[in-house]
Amino acid sequence: ETMKVEGSDGRRRGEKDKISKVICLNQISGEEFALEADEVVFAVGAAALNGITRNSPQLCEYEEVRRFTNLRGTSVLATRVYLDRKIKIPYSANACFGFDEGIGMTMFDISTLHSSPNHNKSKQSDDDDDHQSTTGSIIEVDYYHANPLLVQSDEAIIRKVKNDLDTILGTSSQNANIVDAAIVRLPNAVNWYFPGSHSSMPDVQSTSLSNVYFAGDLVKTNHGSWSQEKAFVTGMEAANLILRRRKDYGIISLGEEELHVEIGRKAVKLFKELLLFGRQLNEDGNGAGALPLLGDFLR
């Protein structure tokens, strides 16, 4: 509901402000109660962090926090289809595009991902039995930036998934039938990384509030991991800081970049520097015209 921030009246000179308690409201009974806070970890995504900021006047007093209102989420449509026969899929994980303007997708061969030669000795869950015992393939198709798809009916979504699979996989998919399906709509649930968003992302430890930390794949870190792994790493980093340990305590560092990745990274950096140099010439009056340069959008 709101947060109680101890400011200049509750601290000694030179100390940062901190969150002392979180005021909660029971939506059913209407009862208000307080949770005392020693340390506060925001383990939320972009849309949630944006919403918390916009609805917390005390937090909005800090410039660091106000920039979180620039962050936003994008919608995902997650689907899983069960086919009546096994079909050949060259790769178990695939990135796809071109079916809908502005919408990306991934396709996973769940049957292969969950299969194991030692399955009977190392069963992880009853769900694994379902993947092993089915006579047909199980395929997950997820769509990203998918607002136009979320409003469709279940039947229309399943038809679309099947048509897309038929286009990607050809005859083997066309000859198969869907016997069961699952659909999950996730509006604004996934972090949306767009040009310029990095500058609005939080660090692991707040620079304004002494007992506030952030964890998740939205958080800046030098580790180099991404997605679920990055969320795990930043969670460990936050815990280490709370326990007054070295930030990277117990965290395995990544290996060196592959050669082609390192070359690409350096080439992009050099390209940006050249563009920004051109911008400087423009500002000094030594360049032609006053039009914005591509470097303006890459900062």
Side-chain angles (χ1 to χ4, degrees):
E1 182 69 12
T2 186
M3 298 186 185
K4 173 64 175 177
V5 178
E6 288 186 359
S8 56
D9 294 335
R11 57 177 168 82
R12 294 187 296 272
R13 179 177 298 180
E15 290 184 341
K16 294 181 182 177
D17 296 346
K18 68 177 183 179
I19 294 177
S20 59
K21 64 179 66 176
V22 179
I23 310 300
C24 305
L25 179 67
N26 188 314
Q27 296 290 341
I28 298 177
S29 67
E31 178 186 2
E32 189 177 277
F33 60 96
L35 296 175
E36 301 293 332
D38 294 319
E39 313 285 350
V40 179
V41 180
F42 288 89
V44 296
L49 188 56
N50 182 320
I52 291 171
T53 301
R54 287 185 290 103
N55 291 283
S56 302
Q58 287 188 297
L59 291 180
C60 287
E61 294 179 8
Y62 303 94
E63 182 180 357
E64 173 200 16
V65 178
R66 289 196 298 272
R67 73 171 188 256
F68 299 157
T69 57
N70 291 324
L71 302 173
R72 54 187 184 268
T74 188
S75 298
V76 172
L77 174 65
T79 71
R80 184 170 293 191
V81 293
Y82 297 75
L83 304 180
D84 62 356
R85 66 189 67 190
K86 294 285 187 182
I87 63 175
K88 185 177 180 180
I89 303 175
Y91 302 100
S92 58
N94 309 268
C96 319
F97 64 94
F99 292 92
D100 305 273
E101 184 177 358
I103 298 177
M105 58 187 289
T106 52
M107 179 186 70
F108 300 98
D109 181 358
I110 300 299
S111 302
T112 298
L113 290 173
H114 284 261
S115 65
S116 168
N118 298 317
H119 170 72
N120 292 330
K121 298 180 180 179
S122 58
K123 187 183 75 168
Q124 300 297 316
S125 67
D126 292 337
D127 193 42
D128 284 345
D129 279 337
D130 294 337
H131 298 137
Q132 292 294 320
S133 61
T134 182
T135 57
S137 291
I138 304 172
I139 304 175
E140 180 162 334
V141 182
D142 298 336
Y143 298 88
Y144 304 88
H145 198 223
N147 278 326
L149 302 182
L150 299 190
V151 296
Q152 291 185 308
S153 67
D154 290 355
E155 293 75 15
I157 290 173
I158 295 304
R159 286 196 300 271
K160 173 179 173 48
V161 171
K162 184 59 164 62
N163 289 337
D164 290 350
L165 289 176
D166 290 349
T167 301
I168 295 171
L169 300 173
T171 304
S172 61
S173 177
Q174 295 167 7
N175 292 334
N177 298 303
I178 294 178
V179 295
D180 198 4
I183 298 173
V184 179
R185 296 173 176 84
L186 301 164
N188 297 319
V190 174
N191 297 331
W192 187 355
Y193 301 101
F194 53 90
S197 61
H198 183 267
S199 61
S200 296
M201 291 161 53
D203 297 298
V204 173
Q205 185 169 16
S206 171
T207 58
S208 304
L209 297 159
S210 62
N211 66 335
V212 170
Y213 305 84
F214 300 90
D217 65 334
L218 184 71
V219 179
K220 297 176 185 176
T221 177
N222 294 324
H223 184 262
S225 51
W226 196 248
S227 191
Q228 297 178 32
E229 292 79 8
K230 185 182 181 186
F232 179 77
V233 167
T234 54
M236 289 190 65
E237 289 179 342
N240 285 334
L241 293 175
I242 290 171
L243 295 172
R244 308 296 186 265
R245 295 193 297 213
R246 195 179 71 248
K247 184 178 176 180
D248 61 352
Y249 178 83
I251 298 174
I252 300 174
S253 61
L254 295 182
E256 294 183 0
E257 295 281 15
E258 295 178 339
L259 180 60
H260 67 282
V261 174
E262 185 63 26
I263 292 174
R265 189 190 302 277
K266 290 181 178 179
V268 170
K269 181 180 179 181
L270 177 61
F271 180 60
K272 290 170 65 176
E273 290 174 348
L274 290 173
L275 289 173
L276 295 175
F277 175 71
R279 180 187 178 201
Q280 185 63 48
L281 288 178
N282 196 17
E283 292 175 348
D284 293 341
N286 299 321
L291 294 175
L293 300 171
L294 181 58
D296 297 329
F297 304 100
L298 295 176
R299 299 186 72 180

